[in-house]
Amino acid sequence: MKILLVVCDGLGDRPIKELNYKTPLAAAEKPNLEKLSLIGVKGIMDTVAPGVRPGSAPAHLAIFGYDPEKYYTGRGVFEALGLGLELKEGDIVFRFNFATVDDKMVVVDRRAGRISERTVELAKALNDISIQGVELVFKEAVEHRGVLIMRGEGLSWKVSDTDPGKTGLRVGKCKPLDSSPEALKTASLVDMVVEESYKILKDHWVNRDRIKQGVPPANVVLPRGASILTKVEGFKERYKLKASCVAGGTLYKGVAKFAGMNVLNVAGATGTYETNYKAKVEASLKALKETDFVFLHFKQADLAGEDGDYKRKIEVIQRIDEALKPLTVLDDTLIVVTADHSTPCSIKTHSADPVPVMICGEEVRRDCIEGFDEVKAAKGGLNRIRGLDLIRILLDIVNLAEKYGA
Amino acid sequence: MKILLVVCDGLGDRPIKELNYKTPLAAAEKPNLEKLSLIGVKGIMDTVAPGVRPGSAPAHLAIFGYDPEKYYTGRGVFEALGLGLELKEGDIVFRFNFATVDDKMVVVDRRAGRISERTVELAKALNDISIQGVELVFKEAVEHRGVLIMRGEGLSWKVSDTDPGKTGLRVGKCKPLDSSPEALKTASLVDMVVEESYKILKDHWVNRDRIKQGVPPANVVLPRGASILTKVEGFKERYKLKASCVAGGTLYKGVAKFAGMNVLNVAGATGTYETNYKAKVEASLKALKETDFVFLHFKQADLAGEDGDYKRKIEVIQRIDEALKPLTVLDDTLIVVTADHSTPCSIKTHSADPVPVMICGEEVRRDCIEGFDEVKAAKGGLNRIRGLDLIRILLDIVNLAEKYGA
């Protein structure tokens, strides 16, 4: 039996007065999720732990069965993997912003005017920075963002950020966060990187051009969120599952890559409101033919939650539901629908409210709860589980769980 | 948003045949709790862990988010704090009984005839005991009880009780419970305290008077339940919540004090059947204006449970319900109603039966369970949580939870 795990990012919500205290999921028309619910068991899930408000990366790690306490040091590693960079065990990975500083290294714009073009040229130039004993890789990401890999002996991820957090302040010195010689060394390397980046970027043609156009030059990089790649067994070794990922956002691709999944590139899968929902489902169904496990990620409910737009949240849930129609006639596949965290429209950010989860298939105990929303799920046969439980429960249903004792 | 946590001590119960197998909570008329239930999410809670029958102190610690495994060494610390004594980190605190011994130190009455008067004089006299290198503070409590603080270098709480447990036996020698020099030293200090207490008390005028009246003299103290004050962050530092406590009983005030709450003195709040329910609710509502979190404790359901009196338990629940009426119209306040443990009338003591818990407010997912009792709560949207989860869940609902990762 195969497994299709559909994660609707930020799906969970709180009651909305205008919806007569229903949540967007409860208010949405969702005939396909409802049809699936008839052959499913439902529950609520604390992806990290009850009352813990998780970021997306630790939440996905937990859902994939990787304890975030052990494997999550920061988002950089997953962003880098999601951008397609190859990482080695022990690599220190930073996220960075392209920013604008004056000649006294005072920050004028923390995002270099939200630069969104030709950062590929800037990153290419930065890759000329040479510091003895350490290998550096710069890679641009969305808009003013990028990642920096630092590779070498005796490095640590226990170092502070350099972004002073607001304009008008000098770029911060990177500080070691523990007393190890590794942290001390890494902090001083980060300071050198910042300095060297300014030397290279200040007269780069892209920036001369930007100044001419009257927009802030991207003349420095500000590393933050140091993280380390820990060695880990992928889905294949860990669970005997050949796994694929269909996602738009870099972070989700990165976590999937970390877990050893084959990350598919699907035309139109963008991680934005404009994503091609149906293309993603089609790609997932195709991938299921060749792999045992497919992780299908939809970002849009989270975007609507962060926008505080419950109407849009209902709309994207309905579009996801529509796209999921082919799942209602699948044979020999366990369908799982859940979220990584709640993003209530009322607070426009992640909350710890447990997420609904539904596991559907012939072998699943039907709990006689019709429909799928936060309140109905809480009455379901799974009761309240934790993120780390999910993959083990799925492995058991497809009869891949190892026996504990005799 | 503010938080009002109402703990009805010993509220949970087991089915009572005479109530057609309902619990006292289910049988009680409780229109206000029922009204609150309409805007709430319910569940059951194991304050310490499933099947663990908790004392009131560890149960309250857990509900406040302080792991009893880490912070509970004995009840003495909390009794002392509840009596208004100032403690320092590392203080060893005993509870003690005033008892009666003969001149061979054989126990004649373990409670000195349940002495209830003039123990303040006896404690005052005991404070003259001087043992080199250690500071001693004796303080009388209810009836024959008191607390003893032992303060100094190199002390340990790992020592045995001295009360032999029945009359006709000599006062026990205090034994070290581990092989540390600190435990050895403390045990011998306790023996000295017992000896010195006899020297001071045997001819005290209060006791000469008692003998004259034909009641047993309180001529010795028997320390027990050694505990240590561990350093802890209060609600303000830990949760960014300014917190107050409205309680009658010493122990509950003590746990609140331990957690950094401001313990209010409310006229008529006694921790007995004669408490002034309404005055306590009024004081709580007043406190809510100045603080973010109020812990309101009612002791009476526990008393009725320990008396095995289900009719009285129903009656006190109804009185609590009546007093809680003003809560049904509160805005911008999260109302939480729960218990620290069950005290079934059938067994007249604490049990591990999970307690019902209800969290009510605009931002809470309404679980469509109307009413509030052990059985209905178990069908609610919280499912089954642990005591340690509660405060984190509440912090999340009021948007004070820190994000875990990104």
Side-chain angles (χ1 to χ4, degrees):
Chain A
M1 211 189 314
K2 309 218 163 183
I3 302 171
L4 174 53
L5 170 64
V6 184
V7 178
C8 305
D9 208 292
L11 181 65
D13 214 301
R14 292 179 180 173
I16 287 167
K17 196 172 177 185
E18 291 81 357
L19 297 174
N20 200 18
Y21 293 98
K22 285 186 175 177
T23 64
L25 178 59
E29 303 262 337
K30 42 187 187 312
N32 297 303
L33 287 171
E34 271 157 25
K35 190 169 170 198
L36 280 169
S37 78
L38 303 179
I39 56 160
V41 66
K42 285 118 251 161
I44 51 175
M45 179 165 72
D46 300 288
T47 49
V48 174
V52 174
R53 198 162 80 81
S56 289
H60 275 83
L61 283 172
I63 290 174
F64 295 157
Y66 296 85
D67 188 348
E69 280 293 317
K70 195 166 166 190
Y71 298 108
Y72 182 80
T73 53
R75 187 160 161 157
V77 158
F78 308 103
E79 293 282 352
L81 289 169
L83 287 168
L85 297 172
E86 291 299 324
L87 295 184
K88 293 184 185 158
E89 193 186 341
D91 277 0
I92 308 296
V93 187
F94 300 81
R95 301 167 78 196
F96 69 76
N97 276 7
F98 284 108
T100 310
V101 288
D102 66 17
D103 54 10
K104 292 191 179 61
M105 293 298 264
V106 169
V107 177
V108 176
D109 189 315
R110 292 176 56 229
R111 299 183 186 87
R114 286 201 179 268
I115 183 171
S116 61
E117 288 177 322
R118 298 182 298 188
T119 49
V120 57
E121 305 293 340
L122 299 175
K124 207 180 284 174
L126 288 168
N127 281 321
D128 288 340
I129 296 178
S130 163
I131 297 176
Q132 210 185 351
V134 62
E135 190 186 336
L136 300 172
V137 180
F138 292 85
K139 172 80 180 171
E140 75 290 351
V142 177
E143 295 181 335
H144 55 279
R145 301 179 191 91
V147 297
L148 160 63
I149 304 171
M150 206 178 260
R151 182 175 293 153
E153 292 296 307
L155 300 179
S156 166
W157 62 280
K158 299 278 193 180
V159 296
S160 75
D161 296 350
T162 52
D163 183 342
K166 51 182 174 180
T167 55
L169 295 177
R170 276 180 61 93
V171 172
K173 261 188 90 69
C174 183
K175 285 179 284 292
L177 297 178
D178 64 27
S179 57
S180 65
E182 290 82 4
L184 199 69
K185 172 178 169 183
T186 309
S188 89
L189 286 171
V190 170
D191 288 337
M192 285 164 78
V193 162
V194 172
E195 209 172 303
E196 293 298 312
S197 76
Y198 178 68
K199 284 186 198 158
I200 285 186
L201 295 177
K202 70 179 161 67
D203 296 319
H204 191 279
W205 65 266
V206 167
N207 281 327
R208 285 204 307 268
D209 215 44
R210 287 179 69 81
I211 292 165
K212 224 177 278 170
Q213 290 169 31
V215 290
N219 60 7
V220 78
V221 300
L222 300 181
R224 62 189 158 99
S227 59
I228 186 167
L229 182 74
T230 44
K231 195 180 163 64
V232 79
E233 285 186 326
F235 261 48
K236 186 72 195 153
E237 305 82 57
R238 202 173 165 108
Y239 307 131
K240 319 255 179 296
L241 292 174
K242 202 175 154 194
S244 302
C245 157
V246 174
T250 308
L251 178 68
Y252 314 99
K253 291 179 178 175
V255 182
K257 193 91 179 284
F258 177 80
M261 297 184 198
N262 182 31
V263 177
L264 303 171
N265 283 312
V266 178
T270 57
T272 67
Y273 286 125
E274 287 68 41
T275 200
N276 189 333
Y277 298 86
K278 286 189 182 165
K280 286 171 83 169
V281 173
E282 276 163 25
S284 301
L285 295 179
K286 201 170 150 224
L288 270 180
K289 293 192 178 141
E290 286 143 33
T291 48
D292 311 304
F293 181 100
V294 172
F295 158 52
L296 167 57
H297 180 265
F298 288 109
K299 177 71 177 164
Q300 295 69 29
D302 181 58
L303 297 177
E306 296 207 330
D307 286 344
D309 187 342
Y310 71 86
K311 287 181 187 159
R312 191 148 203 189
K313 194 159 179 179
I314 292 173
E315 186 202 318
V316 299
I317 292 167
Q318 294 184 166
R319 294 199 61 184
I320 292 171
D321 179 81
E322 206 185 327
L324 293 181
K325 186 166 188 193
L327 274 52
T328 60
V329 295
L330 270 194
D331 274 339
D332 206 33
T333 302
L334 205 59
I335 313 280
V336 189
V337 183
T338 189
D340 54 346
H341 54 77
S342 296
T343 307
C345 294
S346 58
I347 60 169
K348 301 184 182 183
T349 185
H350 300 191
S351 79
D353 294 281
V355 299
V357 54
M358 167 163 82
I359 306 174
C360 311
E362 280 287 310
E363 285 288 292
V364 174
R365 291 183 191 162
R366 302 177 182 195
D367 62 12
C368 307
I369 300 293
E370 291 183 23
F372 181 60
D373 61 48
E374 295 87 340
V375 173
K376 286 182 176 169
K379 298 187 201 300
L382 277 177
N383 285 221
R384 186 168 191 154
I385 63 172
R386 294 208 180 194
L388 281 175
D389 299 331
L390 183 64
I391 192 81
R392 288 197 300 221
I393 291 171
L394 302 181
L395 287 168
D396 177 61
I397 299 174
V398 300
N399 304 317
L400 283 173
E402 278 182 34
K403 198 168 171 188
Y404 177 92
Chain B
M1 210 188 320
K2 309 217 164 181
I3 301 172
L4 174 54
L5 170 63
V6 184
V7 178
C8 306
D9 207 292
L11 181 65
D13 213 300
R14 293 180 178 170
I16 286 166
K17 196 172 175 185
E18 291 81 355
L19 297 174
N20 199 18
Y21 294 98
K22 284 187 176 178
T23 63
L25 178 59
E29 301 264 337
K30 43 185 186 314
N32 297 303
L33 288 170
E34 270 156 26
K35 190 170 171 198
L36 280 169
S37 79
L38 303 179
I39 58 160
V41 66
K42 283 119 253 162
I44 50 175
M45 179 166 71
D46 301 288
T47 48
V48 174
V52 174
R53 199 163 78 83
S56 287
H60 275 83
L61 283 172
I63 289 174
F64 295 156
Y66 295 85
D67 189 346
E69 280 293 317
K70 198 168 164 187
Y71 298 107
Y72 182 79
T73 54
R75 187 161 162 157
V77 159
F78 307 104
E79 292 283 352
L81 289 169
L83 287 169
L85 297 173
E86 291 299 325
L87 295 185
K88 293 185 184 159
E89 194 186 338
D91 278 359
I92 308 297
V93 187
F94 300 82
R95 301 167 78 198
F96 69 77
N97 277 6
F98 284 108
T100 311
V101 289
D102 65 18
D103 54 10
K104 293 191 179 63
M105 292 298 265
V106 171
V107 177
V108 175
D109 189 316
R110 292 175 55 231
R111 298 183 186 86
R114 286 201 179 269
I115 182 171
S116 60
E117 286 177 322
R118 297 180 299 186
T119 49
V120 58
E121 305 294 340
L122 299 175
K124 207 179 285 175
L126 288 167
N127 281 323
D128 287 340
I129 296 178
S130 161
I131 297 177
Q132 209 185 352
V134 62
E135 189 184 336
L136 299 172
V137 179
F138 292 85
K139 172 82 181 169
E140 75 289 351
V142 177
E143 295 181 334
H144 55 280
R145 302 179 191 89
V147 297
L148 160 63
I149 305 172
M150 205 178 263
R151 182 175 292 152
E153 292 296 307
L155 300 179
S156 166
W157 61 281
K158 299 278 195 181
V159 296
S160 74
D161 295 351
T162 51
D163 184 341
K166 51 182 174 180
T167 54
L169 295 177
R170 275 179 61 92
V171 172
K173 258 188 91 67
C174 184
K175 285 180 284 293
L177 297 178
D178 64 24
S179 56
S180 66
E182 289 81 5
L184 199 68
K185 172 178 169 183
T186 309
S188 87
L189 285 172
V190 171
D191 289 336
M192 283 164 78
V193 162
V194 172
E195 210 171 303
E196 293 298 311
S197 76
Y198 179 67
K199 283 186 200 158
I200 285 186
L201 295 177
K202 69 179 161 63
D203 296 319
H204 192 280
W205 64 267
V206 167
N207 281 328
R208 285 203 308 268
D209 216 43
R210 287 180 68 81
I211 291 166
K212 225 178 277 169
Q213 289 169 33
V215 290
N219 61 7
V220 78
V221 300
L222 300 181
R224 61 189 159 99
S227 60
I228 186 168
L229 183 76
T230 45
K231 195 181 162 64
V232 78
E233 284 186 328
F235 260 47
K236 186 74 196 151
E237 304 81 57
R238 202 172 166 108
Y239 307 131
K240 320 248 178 301
L241 292 174
K242 201 175 154 195
S244 302
C245 156
V246 174
T250 308
L251 179 68
Y252 313 98
K253 291 180 179 175
V255 181
K257 193 90 178 285
F258 177 80
M261 297 185 198
N262 181 29
V263 176
L264 302 172
N265 284 312
V266 178
T270 57
T272 66
Y273 285 126
E274 287 66 42
T275 199
N276 189 335
Y277 297 87
K278 286 189 182 166
K280 286 172 82 170
V281 173
E282 275 163 27
S284 301
L285 295 179
K286 200 169 151 227
L288 270 180
K289 293 192 179 142
E290 285 143 35
T291 48
D292 312 304
F293 181 100
V294 172
F295 157 52
L296 167 57
H297 180 265
F298 288 110
K299 177 72 178 164
Q300 296 69 27
D302 181 57
L303 297 178
E306 295 205 330
D307 287 343
D309 187 342
Y310 72 85
K311 286 183 188 157
R312 190 146 204 190
K313 194 160 179 179
I314 292 174
E315 186 202 319
V316 299
I317 292 167
Q318 294 184 167
R319 294 198 61 183
I320 293 171
D321 179 81
E322 205 185 329
L324 294 182
K325 187 168 187 193
L327 274 51
T328 61
V329 295
L330 270 195
D331 273 338
D332 208 34
T333 302
L334 206 59
I335 312 279
V336 189
V337 183
T338 190
D340 54 346
H341 54 76
S342 296
T343 306
C345 293
S346 57
I347 60 169
K348 300 184 181 184
T349 184
H350 299 192
S351 79
D353 295 281
V355 299
V357 54
M358 167 162 83
I359 306 173
C360 310
E362 280 284 307
E363 285 287 291
V364 173
R365 290 181 186 163
R366 301 177 181 196
D367 61 13
C368 307
I369 300 293
E370 292 183 24
F372 181 59
D373 60 50
E374 296 86 338
V375 173
K376 285 181 177 170
K379 298 186 201 300
L382 278 177
N383 285 219
R384 185 171 191 151
I385 62 172
R386 294 209 182 192
L388 281 175
D389 299 332
L390 183 64
I391 193 82
R392 287 198 302 221
I393 291 172
L394 302 181
L395 286 169
D396 177 60
I397 299 173
V398 302
N399 304 317
L400 283 174
E402 277 182 33
K403 201 167 168 186
Y404 178 90

